Amino acid sequence: MRGPAWPIAALLVGYPVWWALGFGGLSVIVVAVPMAVVLWRRRPIRVPRGFGLWLLLLAGYLVSGLMLSEMPPGTYGEIGPGRVVGYAMRLALYTAILIMVLYLGNLTERELPQLRLVRMLGVLFVTTVAGGLLGVFAPSFAFTSPVELLLPDWVGSNSFVQNLIHPTAAQTQKVLGFASPRPEAPFEWANAWGSNVSVLLVWFVVGWWVYGGRRQKVFVAAVIALAAIPVVYSLNRGLWIGLGLAVAYLIVRVGGRTRVALCGAVAAGAVAFALSPLAPLVAQRLDRPHSNDIRAFTVTATVAAAGHSPLIGYGNTRNAMGNHRTITTGRTQWCEGCGHPPLGSDGQLWLLIITQGFTGAALYVTFFVGAIRRHRADRSPIGLAGVLVMGLVLLYMFIYDGLVTPLSLYLISFALLWRNSRGEITCAMDPQRSEDIHHATPSGARP
């Protein structure tokens, strides 16, 4: 917590405190201020290749604010404080994340060792597992945060803001046909928990298993075994698919004894899971794909609405008339549960299409595809993990909203790849541990 790297340590290691205070995902905006000060003092600032796309994405979002008062056909509502607050909050988040990437890339290895940053993400994974277990075993846990007490009602009562500032352990939904909790602590909603736990798991394994000793590996195995409980109870099919593809990716990319060990671990884990009481819950979820109709309606309506402003979008989400069953249902003051989720709420791709048009969506996709193309030859553990996360970003954009916390983790992973490509970053290893990553590292390269 000393030196110029303290803001990122405060963000990742201190995240439970931010969550309890009511900042949660908004904490990146707070720590972006000292990060910007650090950047200002060490000009000129290094910028990663391809980052101009992110600058264009941010500039496009500024322009999209001109459309906040417009209503595309098939939607309803008038411009009000909620729409403006949502737009301003997303703009602040996009800007803060941009600052964070530049800040991480301009710190030296001495100021912030690469392995230390990876292990900070691993600490946040442990926090995420603890929050998931809280959501499973104490789903009604919630409290009013200090930020919630201080905000005026016209801001705090907004549903988007409320999810960010009101700490809760789980979301209760009827995914299986009856009310069941889906873990979300310490993040803003259940889908954010699903996205984050998978990304953080990647870095947890790299930091504490690949570069860890025997005690660390025992700890990793125990935490992952515990993580299986909230992962299953999350009823999150996107998360399950992401984990499956991550395992397949690693089996293909690594070689030698590492591949054999990974296949053995996967086989043992699959048998243990099949014999556990968690397996029937997965089967029940797969038998009830009721959210497919909801997603299909929202995506279709989003694309149709965006077609009326394809270049710059509408700045924020909109409410569609009706739902997937009827066009006569809409949200009202006396029935908040009526109607349908806002357009763009079923994935970052759809959010970008409605808020920034097809141009914004193309910039986002091109940015992460470019990161994969530039770094796919990096076969160090951090390189393999970073490219894997970039791939998960492209998968999750169809099903998860990247804001608030997921996008922060995506861009931290991008910064790790950038730092790794500079050739200045090394991870200290004991001689007896070098064999663990030998087959994942090209000859002569330093992990």
Side-chain angles (χ1 to χ4, degrees):
M1 296 296 291
R2 296 193 298 269
W6 73 264
I8 193 65
L11 176 65
L12 298 177
V13 180
Y15 193 83
V17 178
W18 293 110
W19 178 69
L21 291 174
F23 284 100
L26 302 178
S27 55
V28 68
I29 299 175
V30 180
V31 299
V33 176
M35 288 179 181
V37 172
V38 171
L39 283 172
W40 181 259
R41 290 176 176 174
R42 58 181 59 199
R43 295 163 302 176
I45 299 170
R46 287 187 289 193
V47 178
R49 289 179 59 193
F51 208 59
L53 293 170
W54 195 263
L55 293 173
L56 288 174
L57 188 69
L58 179 60
Y61 195 56
L62 282 169
V63 175
S64 72
L66 298 173
M67 300 293 288
L68 283 174
S69 61
E70 301 297 321
M71 294 301 300
T75 66
Y76 69 94
E78 298 179 354
I79 187 171
R83 188 179 299 173
V84 176
V85 168
Y87 171 82
M89 193 170 293
R90 289 189 179 94
L91 180 61
L93 286 165
Y94 281 132
T95 305
I97 290 170
L98 179 148
I99 293 171
M100 180 183 65
V101 171
L102 296 177
Y103 158 82
L104 290 174
N106 282 270
L107 291 178
T108 66
E109 170 70 359
R110 183 182 181 87
E111 292 168 327
L112 178 60
Q114 187 84 319
L115 181 56
R116 184 172 298 170
L117 177 56
V118 172
R119 285 184 168 171
M120 287 179 189
L121 291 168
V123 171
L124 184 54
F125 174 76
V126 176
T127 300
T128 303
V129 173
L133 292 171
L134 178 67
V136 172
F137 296 108
S140 60
F141 178 83
F143 59 92
T144 302
S145 70
V147 169
E148 192 174 0
L149 290 172
L150 293 174
L151 283 179
D153 289 342
W154 67 271
V155 176
S157 60
N158 178 272
S159 58
F160 177 68
V161 176
Q162 184 68 195
N163 280 327
L164 299 177
I165 64 175
H166 184 67
T168 54
Q171 281 183 296
T172 300
Q173 298 176 342
K174 295 184 178 181
V175 176
L176 300 177
F178 54 86
S180 57
R182 300 180 64 202
E184 65 177 5
F187 304 115
E188 48 273 9
W189 35 73
N191 280 348
W193 188 93
S195 173
N196 293 345
V197 76
S198 60
V199 170
L200 292 170
L201 171 61
V202 173
W203 296 117
F204 180 61
V205 171
V206 172
W208 295 93
W209 178 280
V210 175
Y211 292 117
R214 292 181 179 178
R215 292 183 179 179
Q216 286 89 347
K217 290 179 179 178
V218 171
F219 175 69
V220 169
V223 173
I224 291 178
L226 287 173
I229 299 173
V231 164
V232 172
Y233 274 90
S234 71
L235 304 176
N236 200 318
R237 293 173 299 171
L239 166 60
W240 301 343
I241 293 171
L243 292 177
L245 292 177
V247 171
Y249 164 87
L250 291 175
I251 290 175
V252 171
R253 292 298 304 272
V254 301
R257 289 188 296 174
T258 303
R259 177 181 293 172
V260 174
L262 180 60
C263 290
V266 171
V271 172
F273 177 78
L275 298 176
S276 74
L278 297 174
L281 193 60
V282 173
Q284 290 182 55
R285 177 65 180 100
L286 297 178
D287 287 340
R288 291 173 172 80
H290 81 288
S291 62
N292 291 355
D293 292 337
I294 300 175
R295 285 184 176 274
F297 172 86
T298 307
V299 169
T300 301
T302 298
V303 173
H308 296 277
S309 180
L311 296 181
I312 62 174
Y314 289 94
N316 205 340
T317 60
R318 296 292 188 274
N319 292 315
M321 293 181 179
N323 58 29
H324 63 290
R325 293 191 180 94
T326 173
I327 63 171
T328 61
T329 304
R331 183 176 300 171
T332 64
Q333 292 182 348
W334 55 270
C335 184
E336 289 289 337
C338 296
H340 203 274
L343 301 184
S345 61
D346 284 319
Q348 183 67 15
L349 179 67
W350 318 117
L351 176 65
L352 288 165
I353 285 175
I354 189 67
T355 58
Q356 293 184 247
F358 298 99
T359 305
L363 288 170
Y364 182 87
V365 172
T366 305
F367 175 78
F368 287 106
V369 169
I372 293 175
R373 181 182 57 81
R374 286 189 299 275
H375 300 287
R376 66 179 184 272
D378 183 352
R379 296 183 63 85
S380 69
I382 290 177
L384 290 172
V387 171
L388 169 57
V389 173
M390 298 299 99
L392 290 176
V393 172
L394 296 176
L395 167 67
Y396 290 158
M397 71 180 181
F398 293 99
I399 49 181
Y400 294 142
D401 183 353
L403 295 174
V404 185
T405 49
L407 203 56
S408 298
L409 298 180
Y410 299 162
L411 271 294
I412 292 175
S413 302
F414 172 83
L416 278 164
L417 277 175
W418 173 30
R419 287 165 57 92
N420 220 45
S421 68
R422 297 207 307 257
E424 307 166 6
I425 307 299
T426 60
C427 290
M429 296 186 304
D430 293 336
Q432 65 267 26
R433 282 185 261 154
S434 62
E435 186 63 27
D436 293 337
I437 60 170
H438 172 73
H439 297 290
T441 307
S443 176
R446 291 185 298 178

